Amino acid sequence: MKRLVLLGGGHAHVHVLKVLGDALDPAVSVTLVTPVARQVYSGMLPGYVSGHYPLEACGIDLEPLAKRARALVVRSSAALVNTSMREVICVNGEVVGYDVLSIDVGSRPAATDVRGVEAHAVAVRPLERFAQGWEKVLDRARQGGMNAVTVVGGGAAGVELAFAIEQRLRQEPGAGAPHVRVLTDARSIVPEYPVAARGRLVRLARRRNIGLHAASPVTEVGAGFVRVKDAIEFATDATFWVTGAAAPDFLRHSGLATDGRGFLSVNDFMQSVGHPEIFGVGDCATNVASPVPKAGVFAVRAGPALAANLRAALKGGPLERHVPSARFLALVSCGTRYAVGVYGPLSFEGRWVWRWKDRIDRRFVARYSPQALAAAR
Ligand SMILES: Cc1cc2nc3c(=O)[nH]c(=O)nc-3n(C[C@H](O)[C@H](O)[C@H](O)COP(=O)(O)OP(=O)(O)OC[C@H]3O[C@@H](n4cnc5c(N)ncnc54)[C@H](O)[C@@H]3O)c2cc1C
């Protein structure tokens, strides 16, 4: 019996689990290591903050997917991979042996070692913990007296969450519409977007009176303040940490080959460049020859090829090359069922863009619902 171990229930692994469940293979034992029972879908997180969706509508239940694939679930996180013994050591002490290992564990927010972040900011990841932090802020806001909220991080996720927070706190009874600001160390918000797309988001933010502070690296977060370099201090009643993607430490600590930022280095077949029996996809991995941005869409696109390659690796068949184009459609919701779309040099906006995003996101989550799974067999 060959042992396949899946680390993390990320975007690609939900698809792998579905494929494994579609055609069970009695010669393969599958184990899923996951700290969460439900994978919150980040694309819908801003909509949850805005109040457009309940949290339950934004998640994929991993247990039914695993059960259907006859996968054993270890409710823990990987702390280390012992590549010579071919074992995963989990945070809860469990040791899981593998013949083929697939890693889809996502990323963590960057620069969380800035003073005070752990104690005083709500970090965007893990997403479940973010949701709990957000609910607490919302409760405090409802009691009144909240004047300012700070989002640290001016990438698409930070900007999208700032719009969502502003909209929700403006509409929530008793919350009193606190001022929302975005602080970024970059020279502008979403520097990776074309000028026209950035212009659209800046204009919409100004219309909502969302403060955008570029070139403002945060050096400390405290109770009631955020300090940026050169000792400027902003008063804040809540701080959200939505900095870019950083690599999970255990990859480097396990001696796996990583890129300069600590992400798992993989080849065109999604195999670790140092260990062909280990596969990596999504935010946690970088195709060293053809890197793509850290966005969920790439993990989604990797799902089918990864499922095929894991089967091939277990059976000794040929592997499929998977080299996605770096161009992707980004749809950034702006709080009020309105969104900005970006595709290469093109950008567009409107209510129709939000409805488009809403349809794409709901369809993705629905694909892995127990009803869809039952119908698929
Ligand atoms: C607010 C927000 C909005 C976003 N919107 C979009 C969007 O619209 N489009 C887009 O393309 N991207 C978007 N992104 C980026 C997107 O979230 C990530 O690129 C995407 O989640 C990466 O998917 P993944 O499969 O690599 O990992 P994830 O989706 O992060 O899943 C990883 C899973 O692994 C688990 N895990 C973590 N560590 C371990 C461990 N040590 N052992 C076992 N399991 C572990 C986690 O709990 C999680 O369940 C957004 C991000 C945020 C924060």
Side-chain angles (χ1 to χ4, degrees):
M1 171 94 68
K2 291 275 188 177
R3 299 161 303 167
L4 170 64
V5 175
L6 306 175
L7 289 192
H11 291 65
H13 277 178
V14 291
H15 191 75
V16 169
L17 283 168
K18 178 177 177 299
V19 171
L20 289 170
D22 286 344
L24 293 167
D25 184 343
V28 175
S29 81
V30 184
T31 303
L32 170 69
V33 178
T34 172
V36 292
R38 177 180 52 188
Q39 167 73 4
V40 175
Y41 177 53
S42 59
M44 291 174 84
L45 197 72
Y48 151 72
V49 169
S50 292
H52 299 147
Y53 317 114
L55 189 60
E56 305 75 62
C58 312
I60 296 170
D61 282 331
L62 297 174
E63 300 274 355
L65 265 172
K67 195 168 167 200
R68 183 171 171 273
R70 308 244 167 95
L72 182 76
V73 178
V74 174
R75 275 294 296 279
S76 187
S77 298
L80 213 63
V81 179
N82 182 335
T83 52
S84 52
M85 299 293 286
R86 297 200 175 180
E87 286 174 346
V88 176
I89 293 99
C90 299
V91 169
N92 69 355
E94 274 190 66
V95 176
V96 187
Y98 65 85
D99 296 299
V100 173
L101 175 67
S102 181
I103 309 180
D104 180 16
V105 294
S107 53
R108 58 181 178 81
T112 43
D113 53 350
V114 166
R115 194 164 162 188
V117 172
E118 281 289 333
H120 300 290
V122 177
V124 73
R125 288 182 189 280
L127 298 180
E128 291 276 356
R129 208 160 78 203
F130 168 84
Q132 289 165 8
W134 163 245
E135 292 293 340
K136 282 190 192 147
V137 170
L138 193 55
D139 277 347
R140 272 203 287 133
R142 286 182 185 124
Q143 287 153 30
M146 191 170 276
N147 298 311
V149 173
T150 305
V151 174
V152 181
V159 170
E160 207 176 10
L161 279 175
F163 275 113
I165 292 167
E166 192 281 333
Q167 192 257 348
R168 183 68 182 272
L169 296 185
R170 186 161 35 79
Q171 297 203 330
E172 193 68 22
H179 175 63
V180 176
R181 70 171 72 88
V182 176
L183 302 181
T184 174
D185 59 354
R187 60 187 160 72
S188 74
I189 59 159
V190 286
E192 69 280 17
Y193 281 2
V195 176
R198 209 183 304 150
R200 288 177 192 276
L201 290 166
V202 169
R203 176 176 48 77
L204 291 166
R206 289 216 177 106
R207 202 180 281 171
R208 296 265 164 234
N209 196 29
I210 295 174
L212 301 177
H213 302 263
S216 300
V218 172
T219 54
E220 185 179 354
V221 183
F225 73 89
V226 169
R227 182 167 298 133
V228 303
K229 203 166 170 245
D230 303 326
I232 302 163
E233 220 175 83
F234 289 97
T236 186
D237 298 295
T239 302
F240 294 92
W241 200 257
V242 197
T243 47
D249 290 331
F250 81 89
L251 299 171
R252 208 167 19 91
H253 293 165
S254 302
L256 292 161
T258 54
D259 69 5
R261 296 165 62 203
F263 294 103
L264 184 73
S265 295
V266 297
N267 62 18
D268 290 353
F269 304 99
M270 297 170 281
Q271 287 169 297
S272 157
V273 297
H275 298 86
E277 70 284 8
I278 298 179
F279 290 73
V281 288
D283 277 10
C284 69
T286 301
N287 179 327
V288 278
S290 316
V292 292
K294 301 292 177 196
V297 62
F298 294 107
V300 171
R301 283 187 201 166
L306 177 67
N309 281 0
L310 293 177
R311 269 229 158 106
L314 290 159
K315 300 274 173 198
L319 300 180
E320 210 176 281
R321 200 175 284 274
H322 176 73
V323 186
S325 149
R327 187 171 282 195
F328 69 107
L329 173 68
L331 300 173
V332 182
S333 58
C334 301
T336 48
R337 295 183 198 264
Y338 192 92
V340 170
V342 188
Y343 186 72
L346 302 177
S347 66
F348 35 86
E349 64 181 86
R351 291 190 176 281
W352 66 273
V353 182
W354 187 87
R355 286 196 296 273
W356 189 18
K357 173 174 170 55
D358 177 58
R359 260 199 315 278
I360 293 173
D361 289 344
R362 281 181 197 261
R363 205 182 301 147
F364 178 74
V365 170
R367 206 182 295 162
Y368 304 104
S369 68
Q371 298 86 316
L373 295 176
R377 214 177 237 168

